[in-house]
Each structure stands twice: as structure tokens, then as C-alpha cells.
């Protein structure tokens, strides 16, 4: 796996019972996954020679993030190393312009959008629809709210163009909530769909995920799962695909983003599903039969733990474990910095209000925003 | 953790979400746990200098097995390294003579027993009760049926004395089945009890575990849990304690063996309990609050996967995953040798017959004793 973040850490954890020999390419020995994996190569994933050296002896290459240059992935494939997801699929998660063009071609429902060339063009894009505000995104390099701008006027729209990367304009969707449809697909075409979840963002960062999405009609849930399965198939995705969706005020679903790797909206599966997204990602990239994606509890809630003002979470960690013996804590081994994702918690049970309350309490207590 | 076997492998797996930095002392780099742990020291646990070097920088030492010499554990404690379980507790799992004497002192129910000095003394022991057969055990060094003899006459009883280790004689108990009461205890005295399970042995090796033990009266289950909690407390155990029990024809429970580490009879907890034995062992040795030991399913069954005649299990592994997408496979990364424990499977559900059948089918198919 290329990339030493928490997704690699949790993928290794899931691979241990499968008997997988896991090899990691990590930027530093302190990275989240590098702390817990036996076979670690330290190096820069942007360097092709490093990637080639790393790939020697690997049966298959997969990723903790989407930042490996497409041309490097093609070079690895030319060397005969299976890359999963492959570059032709992954480019749709790397480049939002390519993604939108492909989804349009598939007839997948998207927010109104087009590539814009300057602030005047942004104003024109606004005029073509309901006017400002407009969302601007650099087509490459963004995540967790980075590389995304909420723009109220042409005068406001200069910043996104400074990076010299093409800029995608999208209508501001009038949504009631965000959903995610997560699926896993194998090279031989087997696929499984997890229950559709509700994802709640705070300041552009995923805060809470509720599985399954409350009060979602079976019809809309089925449509979202079918859409995600179709995208996975049409794009030739291998591994986990997260399709982030808007549920609109008028009852439609629109594709917001695609991610081709284990995803924050699927962390609940570690404790809430028969087979976790991490285990199924491993099974898919190794072309093993996939595991059952069904939920084990009526409700599962995931809450992200962000760093707060105090670097030492230990006392809070003790408190949360003592307060709720059913709490499932997942720490990433990262130094605590304000706003940094350093872990998550999962809770599950029959009573959604209770399950939500326990997850939110633990996340807030660990962050230090509450002390009781 | 001292010892690189599968228990250390699965303890590391359980420690990852807790954010634990896990350091391993392993005999070889190929050992089950050494394949998946980042921080591995290769060395001999029987050598005090190696242990001392390994222990430097550890917050606490715990064990994958019970073979570290008691005097070495005392030396580490004298160096100021917390050893959990400590030598005064662990000796009861290392020496069956010490264990029996202590359990007698506690009034814990045991099979009739005493240390015997030669075959004539074995005959005398038999005469004191219901005669032959008699079970003989060397007080140290046995496991999985090794170091244990089933003796039908004094003439049969020479072998156990050849090792020069004291020999314990025990009556052959007329039992209906074997049970295990598993508990976890913290340094500050918090303790949790898992449901009492039924353990089925084949040729002296654990074959299947059913959680909870079917048709066990609440009264007897409660008595077994109380007994295990009392033993953990009186012996000052820290970490996981497995109390292997006989359920006798006349409705009593008798202590067969003690193990102070995660135990084969607790592997079902990985997929069948809110908190696994491995996670709770880690939490106990680090004096973290313990997790909920309650079951997540009505029935969970664990079946051990032993090596068969074919060294390559890969096709069988594919078959089992494809046949049963709910099957939870746990492989140890070990070379397959006939009769060697190389993994286990867990199944769970509401219908015991189905859950048992799925676990046994997978274990037999992986071993190669069935092909359909």
C-alpha cells in the first residue's frame, strides 16, 4: 500500500486475520501506518524510481490516498505490477474535471457544473443558472474542504485561479443532507454495497456518520446503491469506492465526490458491519471473494476525533473508556494538533439517540470541547 | 510482548485501534507475530540479558506463552519493569503442582490429585481412589496434550518420570464436557467475565468452542464465572485468565487447567463479543478501563484450522470465503504442517446448528479432510 496514513494503518489491521503480507511505502517512519507495519519502505511516492523499487515483490499495489501521479501508475502497470484501482479508474478520483465529464457521459446525476477560466467566466457560469453563490474547486489536490471555495461574487473568485490548476465551477446545491453510498468491487466483477449512510460535516470536515441514513426511503437508498455500483462498474474500479452524495430538497440525489480507497464514511463498518470496508478493500485488490457488507446492529454511529488545544489526550482516553465500556476507540498514533483527525469512535445499538449521544460525547470529550 | 506466536499477532491487531506501540520479542523473524509487527527484537526469551535489553523502554511486559523462567521475571521486576501477569501469579500457570496446591488452599474444586514420585506411588494413588486409569502430568512444560499421559497400570507409568520433572497424578474425571470460564483483571482490581463456553477437544487439542455453552444452567454458569473471578483475584492475575473446567456427570465443575494470557477458548470473542479477549488483555496490562465482555450474537462458534496433508491452503481459502461471505477467517501466517494450528474461523448467528455447521465445514475444508 502506498501512503502511511490511518487508512493504511487500518487496512493492515484488517489484513492480519486474512494472513496478508502487507508492505508499506511511507513518507516517514513516524507516519500512522508505519508505526504498526513490519515491512515498511520510507520514500517519496512522487518519485518513480522509489515506487518501482517498492513495487518489486508485491503481488498488487493499492493506495492510502489518491496523490500518486497517473503516469507513475501507468509505468508500474507497464512493469507488470497490478495496480488496483488502476490509473484509468483512479483518475476519476484524482481529477474532478475528468470525474464530472465521465459522470455526465454516464448520465449520473450531478450538480450543474463546468470548467471556468477566470472570475469573469465564474460570473457567466452563475448567470447561466440561479446566480451566486457558486462553488469553485481546483480539479486536483483538494480534500477535507481544502481546494474548495464558496464564492459570492466575481470579485470573490480570484483566489482559486492562482494555483494554475483548472478550476471547476459547481452550483451551490440546496441539499437537506449529505449521504454516502459505499461499494467494493473485485477485478472479476463481484461487488457488494454497504447500507447508504448519512454524513454530517462541520467546517468542511466529516464529523459524524450515521449508518444506515435515518428516514431514507428504501427507493432512494436503492437508487443510491445502484448508482454507486454502476459507477464502480463503468469506471472499472477495483477496491472500495465511496460515492459522496447530496440529497436535495426536492428528493433527488446528486454526486458530490468520488473516493477510490477506504473512506471516512465507511469507518463505521469496522464495528458495525459483518465485513469492514478495510477487509473488503483488501479482499478486492487481491481478487479474493468479498465479505458480507450487511450491518450487525440496528444503528452504528462514527464520530471523528479531532485534535484540540491540549496535546495529551490520555486522561480523556481513560475517561471515555471508563464511562462507556461499549465504546470502540480507533486511534491513529498521530500527534495531536488542533483540528487534525487523530482518531474516531464507533458506537452501536438499537436506540439511535443514545448511540449518537455516546459517539458525540466521546469525540467531544477527547477533543477537549467538553469536560463532563 | 514476549513470544512471537499467534496470540501476540492477534494482540497486536487488537492494540492498533487503541493506539498502542507494540514491541515484540520473537525467536525468529518468521514467527507469526513478527510478520506483522513494526518493532521486533529477535532473541531468546530464556536469556536474561536479552530480556533486559528488550524490556528497556517498555512501559509494561506481557506474554504470548508461559515459558519465561520465573527468576527472569523477578529480575525484570527488580529492574523496575512492570511484568503483567507478575511472576507470583504466573507461576500458577507455569507449574501444575503449585497451581493445585494453591487451588486446594482456596477451596477451589479440583480433581483428586497429588504429586507422585514413581510408578509404585502412582499405583498407591490409584488405590486411594477408584483405581486406574490415572492421569499423569509433568508439572512444567506441557501444552496441547504434550506432557500428559493416560495411564492404565503401574507398568504403564514409567515414561512421565524420565524427564526428571515432578509428576502430578490426577483422577480420571467422569465429565460430560469441558467448559472454560474466561475473565480479565486489571492491576487496580477491575475485572470482567466472558460468558462460559464449551470447549470440544480432539486428540487433546482444542477443536471447537461454542459460546455460550449450550444448555448450561444459569446457576452453574454463574458459579464458574465467580470461581474464575475469585481465582484471578486471589492469585493477583493481571490480564486474561482462562480457567479450563470439567463439567462432571453429577453436575459439579472442577478446575482442569489455568492459562494467564489470551487463550484458544477466547478466540470467539474477536467476532462474537463487544470487546475481544485480546483488546481486554491489552487494556488490563496497561491498566486501562476494561471493555464490555458481552456477546454480540446469540451463538458464536470458533473452530481451529489445523494443517493437513497439502501445504498450500490457498484454493481452500478462496472456496471458504466464496461459500460463506459471513465467515470470519483468522490465519496465523504459519507454514502448513499436518496437525499444526495455522488459523481459526469464527461464525455467529441465531441458529446454533447452522453456526456450528458453517464453522466445522470451513475448518475441515481448509484442512483438506473434506472437499465439498
Amino acid at each position: 500500500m502506498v501512503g502511511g496514513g490511518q487508512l493504511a494503518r487500518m487496512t493492515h489491521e484488517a489484513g492480519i486475520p486474512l494472513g496478508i503480507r502487507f508492505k508499506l511505502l511511507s513518507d516517514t517512519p513516524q507516519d500512522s501506518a508505519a508505526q504498526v507495519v513490519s515491512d515498511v519502505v520510507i520514500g517519496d511516492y512522487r518519485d518513480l524510481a522509489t515506487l518501482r523499487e517498492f513495487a518489486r515483490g508485491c503481488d498488487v499495489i493499492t493506495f492510502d490516498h489518491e496523490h500518486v501521479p497517473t503516469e507513475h501508475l501507468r509505468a508500474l502497470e507497464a512493469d507488470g505490477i497490478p495496480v488496483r484501482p488502476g490509473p484509468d479508474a483512479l483518475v476519476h478520483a484524482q481529477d474532478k474535471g475528468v470525474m464530472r465529464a465521465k459522470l455526465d457521459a454516464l448520465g449520473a446525476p450531478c450538480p450543474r457544473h463546468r470548467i471556468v477560466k477566470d472570475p469573469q467566466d465564474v460570473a457567466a457560469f452563475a448567470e447561466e443558472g440561479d446566480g451566486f453563490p457558486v462553488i469553485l474547486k481546483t480539479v486536483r489536490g483538494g480534500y477535507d474542504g481544502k481546494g474548495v471555495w464558496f464564492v459570492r461574487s466575481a470579485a470573490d473568485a480570484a483566489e482559486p485561479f492562482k494555483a494554475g490548476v483548472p478550476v471547476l465551477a459547481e452550483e451551490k446545491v440546496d441539499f437537506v443532507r449529505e449521504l454516502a453510498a459505499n461499494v467494493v468491487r473485485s477485478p472479476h466483477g463481484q461487488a457488494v454495497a454497504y447500507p447508504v449512510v448519512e454524513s454530517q460535516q462541520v467546517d468542511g470536515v466529516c464529523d459524524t456518520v450515521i449508518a444506515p441514513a435515518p428516514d431514507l426511503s428504501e427507493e432512494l437508498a436503492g437508487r443510491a446503491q445502484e448508482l454507486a455500483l454502476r459507477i464502480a462498474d463503468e469506471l472499472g474500479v477495483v477496491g472500495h469506492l465511496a460515492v459522496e452524495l447530496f440529497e436535495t430538497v426536492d428528493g433527488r440525489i446528486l454526486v458530490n465526490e468520488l473516493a477510490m480507497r477506504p473512506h471516512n464514511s465507511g469507518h463505521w463498518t469496522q464495528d458495525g458491519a459483518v465485513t469492514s470496508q478495510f477487509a473488503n478493500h483488501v479482499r478486492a485488490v487481491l481478487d479474493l471473494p468479498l465479505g458480507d457488507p450487511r450491518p450487525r446492529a440496528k444503528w452504528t454511529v462514527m464520530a471523528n476525533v479531532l485534535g484540540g488545544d491540549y496535546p495529551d489526550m490520555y486522561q480523556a482516553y481513560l475517561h471515555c473508556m471508563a464511562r462507556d465500556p461499549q465504546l470502540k476507540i480507533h486511534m491513529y498514533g498521530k500527534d495531536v494538533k488542533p483540528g487534525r483527525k487523530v482518531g474516531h469512535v464507533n458506537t452501536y445499538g438499537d436506540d439511535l439517540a443514545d448511540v449518537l449521544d455516546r459517539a458525540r460525547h466521546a469525540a467531544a470529550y477527547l477533543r477537549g470541547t467538553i469536560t463532563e
Side-chain angles (χ1 to χ4, degrees), chain A:
Chain A
M1 191 169 230
V2 176
Q6 65 263 27
L7 300 178
R9 180 184 176 101
M10 294 185 280
T11 302
H12 174 54
E13 181 193 340
I16 292 173
L18 294 170
I20 304 308
R21 296 283 189 126
F22 192 89
K23 186 173 174 183
L24 181 75
L25 178 63
S26 182
D27 288 344
T28 80
Q30 288 76 43
D31 282 14
S32 177
Q35 296 171 19
V36 299
V37 171
S38 169
D39 191 359
V40 183
V41 173
I42 303 302
D44 184 346
Y45 62 84
R46 292 166 300 191
D47 178 61
L48 180 56
T50 300
L51 276 173
R52 280 195 154 128
E53 176 65 25
F54 170 72
R56 270 202 293 171
C58 287
D59 293 313
V60 55
I61 301 280
T62 189
F63 312 95
D64 164 89
H65 57 67
E66 289 129 349
H67 307 319
V68 181
T70 311
E71 62 272 22
H72 290 2
L73 301 180
R74 291 199 200 287
L76 292 178
E77 279 198 329
D79 292 346
I81 308 285
V83 174
R84 294 173 179 163
D88 293 334
L90 198 62
V91 67
H92 300 93
Q94 294 177 314
D95 187 307
K96 297 182 208 298
V98 175
M99 182 263 284
R100 284 292 178 220
K102 180 71 177 182
L103 292 180
D104 283 349
L106 296 178
C110 291
R112 192 175 70 84
H113 63 89
R114 70 170 169 84
I115 298 291
V116 286
K117 39 180 208 298
D118 54 36
Q120 289 70 35
D121 199 19
V122 175
F125 173 81
E127 284 305 304
E128 289 154 24
D130 296 332
F132 284 99
V134 159
I135 309 295
L136 297 180
K137 299 175 175 179
T138 50
V139 297
R140 283 185 175 254
Y143 66 97
D144 272 358
K146 293 175 187 68
V148 178
W149 291 263
F150 184 87
V151 169
R152 298 185 180 279
S153 70
D156 223 21
E159 185 69 24
F161 295 94
K162 289 183 180 165
V165 177
V167 174
L168 179 73
E170 294 183 352
E171 66 173 320
K172 166 76 182 67
V173 174
D174 196 10
F175 63 89
V176 286
R177 59 176 168 176
E178 294 186 57
L179 303 171
N182 291 337
V183 298
V184 183
R185 184 176 173 276
S186 296
H188 72 282
Q190 189 189 15
V192 295
Y194 285 98
V196 176
V197 299
E198 175 175 338
S199 173
Q200 303 179 344
Q201 320 286 317
V202 173
D203 299 332
V205 177
C206 176
D207 181 78
T208 311
V209 170
I210 305 173
D215 302 318
L216 183 66
S217 74
E218 233 176 274
E219 189 273 326
L220 205 58
R223 236 198 296 153
Q225 288 181 314
E226 277 170 32
L227 177 63
L229 288 168
R230 189 158 73 86
I231 292 171
D233 187 48
E234 297 271 9
L235 272 52
V237 176
V238 172
H240 189 266
L241 169 71
V243 180
E244 296 183 74
L245 299 162
F246 296 120
E247 183 183 355
T248 65
V249 173
D250 55 353
R252 293 172 302 142
I253 46 171
L254 301 176
V255 177
N256 181 18
E257 302 276 358
L258 302 182
M260 290 180 203
R261 49 171 172 74
H263 189 255
N264 205 161
S265 64
H267 289 359
W268 69 275
T269 59
Q270 293 175 302
D271 301 297
V274 175
T275 313
S276 79
Q277 65 165 346
F278 299 101
N280 263 337
H281 184 75
V282 168
R283 287 163 79 144
V285 301
L286 292 169
D287 207 8
L288 302 171
L290 299 180
D292 192 331
R294 280 178 292 182
R296 288 197 69 174
K298 187 173 174 193
W299 298 106
T300 304
V301 169
M302 188 287 314
N304 278 321
V305 176
L306 304 188
D309 294 334
Y310 300 95
D312 186 356
M313 272 192 187
Y314 186 66
Q315 290 304 324
Y317 171 84
L318 291 180
H319 173 90
C320 289
M321 276 194 247
R323 183 180 189 267
D324 184 356
Q326 294 175 52
L327 183 72
K328 307 308 288 183
I329 298 187
H330 299 265
M331 301 304 291
Y332 305 157
K334 291 180 166 182
D335 289 339
V336 174
K337 291 178 189 168
R340 186 186 204 189
K341 280 186 202 170
V342 296
H344 67 271
V345 295
N346 287 331
T347 55
Y348 54 82
D350 290 335
D351 177 354
L352 178 56
D354 173 67
V355 173
L356 255 176
D357 179 66
R358 286 163 48 217
R360 286 183 173 148
H361 179 279
Y365 200 99
L366 286 164
R367 188 174 188 174
T369 50
I370 59 171
T371 55
E372 62 174 358

